[in-house]
Amino acid sequence: MAKSRNNLLGVGGQRKKLSRAEQQGAGSARGADRKAAEDKKQELVRKMRERAEAQADTTAAAEPGEQDASPAQS
């Protein structure tokens, strides 16, 4: 049997250090920062999708126009 069987130090993991504001129930600024970062990311993804769709529409619209214009010029 192990000598330190009754010594359970570290078995439950470590607890997060709480700031004074968190101890008083003010909440975490970290959570608000994560929410803001997630909102920025979602906005960026939305903008990128809109640009990709606009570029795809422009490319698709230009292809048939180029094919029609080529025989007319010849």
Side-chain angles (χ1 to χ4, degrees):
M1 198 183 309
K3 291 182 180 179
S4 62
R5 181 174 175 114
N6 292 331
N7 185 4
L8 298 177
L9 181 65
V11 171
Q14 295 181 353
R15 295 178 66 179
K16 183 180 83 163
K17 302 266 189 207
L18 297 176
S19 67
R20 288 184 182 205
E22 289 173 330
Q23 289 174 358
Q24 294 172 358
S28 172
R30 186 182 314 168
D33 291 342
R34 286 184 183 171
K35 177 99 172 94
E38 183 66 26
D39 291 343
K40 287 180 184 178
K41 182 178 176 183
Q42 291 297 326
E43 182 67 17
L44 180 63
V45 169
R46 184 187 62 79
K47 287 180 182 179
M48 290 175 67
R49 283 187 183 147
E50 287 178 359
R51 287 180 187 158
E53 288 174 3
Q55 188 175 14
D57 291 344
T58 304
T59 305
E63 288 176 1
E66 291 175 359
Q67 292 173 357
D68 292 339
S70 297
Q73 293 175 351
S74 298

